[in-house]
Amino acid sequence: MAQIESQIDVLNEDFRRMNSDGVNTPGAFLPVAADSQIEFYLACIDPNDNPTNGVVRVQGEGEYTVEMDGDQVNETLTGIKVGINGSQAWPTNRYLNIWVANLADDVLGYAQFPDQYASKPNTDGVVINTTSFGTTGLVDAPFDQGRTATHEIGHWLNLLHIWGDELCGDDLVGDTPFQEWSSTGCPNHPRASCESDDMFMNYMDYTDDACMNMFTQGQRNRMRAVLSPGGIRHSFVS
Ligand code: ARG
Ligand code: ZN
Ligand code: CA
């Protein structure tokens, strides 16, 4: 439970730009660094209107393998595919489902994008490897600061990778510089690739948890569009 709560704390720090390592955001990027004004709480009422701590525990079996199309893991975990050791999503129009499991092949996490919601409501949410979830308990460095869930929920709210998943690709966000490809480890700033100054400390890159510290205003607006009237996740706004 402490590990779970540590993850919720990180989400609220990161999405509200209350993260203590926000001081590491390079000065050049401070004008676009954003508080998304989105917050997260463990559910306190379950789908049957009973009190809950928001946590469902299921005995799993071994490691969960992520297929290349990425959908298999949700289907297994939700019980749709295998039907023995998953856990069905709570109604995805009002709960953000976070499946935490032992994922094979060093996969850190996986998310379903909002545009898949209509056709696949039962697998909507994010999946996080146990060892990259939260900041305490079973976490493993360098993915031990809860940033995998920050990144995956960014996808769940329609954010793309900062390099646009192709060479100098477009993430459809204006204030994130074009970047050649994903970054790993903890690069030194400044570093340039396609454009001027790579924003490898953005949560939507692949750097180590301790080296990511920002979303931008453009990312904030893209996430909030999904929650706005007419947006796919508007049902989350009360
Ligand atoms: N590889 C995963 C994805 O593309 C997650 C990467 C998370 N990175 C991190 N530093 N925690 O969704
Ligand atoms: Zn990603
Ligand atoms: Ca961009």
Side-chain angles (χ1 to χ4, degrees):
M1 198 62 206
Q3 184 171 356
I4 294 166
E5 284 166 351
S6 75
Q7 180 62 71
I8 304 300
D9 290 345
V10 170
L11 293 175
N12 287 317
E13 290 161 12
D14 289 354
F15 281 80
R16 293 305 317 269
R17 197 164 166 76
M18 301 277 284
N19 50 306
S20 57
D21 58 359
V23 295
N24 297 336
T25 301
F29 294 140
L30 286 179
V32 297
D35 168 5
S36 75
Q37 296 176 284
I38 298 166
E39 298 183 353
F40 301 84
Y41 301 89
L42 286 170
C44 47
I45 307 286
D46 77 12
N48 299 318
D49 275 340
N50 293 314
T52 176
N53 67 357
V55 180
V56 177
R57 294 179 190 274
V58 176
Q59 179 68 52
E61 33 165 74
E63 293 184 323
Y64 292 86
T65 303
V66 183
E67 300 294 328
M68 281 316 286
D69 72 1
D71 297 337
Q72 307 276 348
V73 69
N74 289 42
E75 291 175 6
T76 305
L77 290 168
T78 53
I80 295 166
K81 186 176 161 65
V82 173
I84 47 172
N85 55 6
S87 184
Q88 294 286 337
W90 286 8
T92 49
N93 61 339
R94 52 198 184 97
Y95 295 98
L96 160 54
N97 287 267
I98 304 178
W99 288 273
V100 181
N102 182 6
L103 304 181
D105 306 322
D106 296 324
V107 170
L108 299 174
Y110 168 76
Q112 188 169 298
F113 284 89
D115 63 357
Q116 296 177 282
Y117 177 76
S119 57
K120 298 195 294 184
N122 298 333
T123 53
D124 190 74
V126 304
V127 179
I128 312 289
N129 196 4
T130 308
T131 57
S132 54
F133 188 70
T135 61
T136 188
L138 298 170
V139 285
D140 258 351
F143 304 109
D144 56 351
Q145 299 300 313
R147 260 67 197 255
T148 300
T150 300
H151 176 112
E152 300 310 335
I153 293 171
H155 286 316
W156 183 79
L157 289 170
N158 213 24
L159 295 188
L160 306 177
H161 291 139
I162 193 149
W163 69 98
D165 290 316
E166 43 186 278
L167 276 184
C168 300
D170 191 356
D171 66 352
L172 307 177
V173 170
D175 58 9
T176 53
F178 286 94
Q179 178 175 305
E180 188 165 75
W181 198 247
S182 55
S183 313
T184 53
C186 200
N188 286 318
H189 180 265
R191 185 198 71 187
S193 57
C194 317
E195 210 179 343
S196 43
D197 198 358
D198 288 353
M199 195 186 275
F200 52 74
M201 70 301 302
N202 191 282
Y203 297 126
M204 300 316 291
D205 203 339
Y206 274 180
T207 33
D208 289 348
D209 279 14
C211 303
M212 13 178 78
N213 52 54
M214 68 178 294
F215 284 124
T216 68
Q217 296 288 343
Q219 289 174 318
R220 166 196 187 274
N221 295 341
R222 191 172 162 85
M223 292 192 280
R224 293 184 68 87
V226 170
L227 297 165
S228 299
I232 292 168
R233 304 203 187 284
H234 182 57
S235 56
F236 279 81
V237 180
S238 50

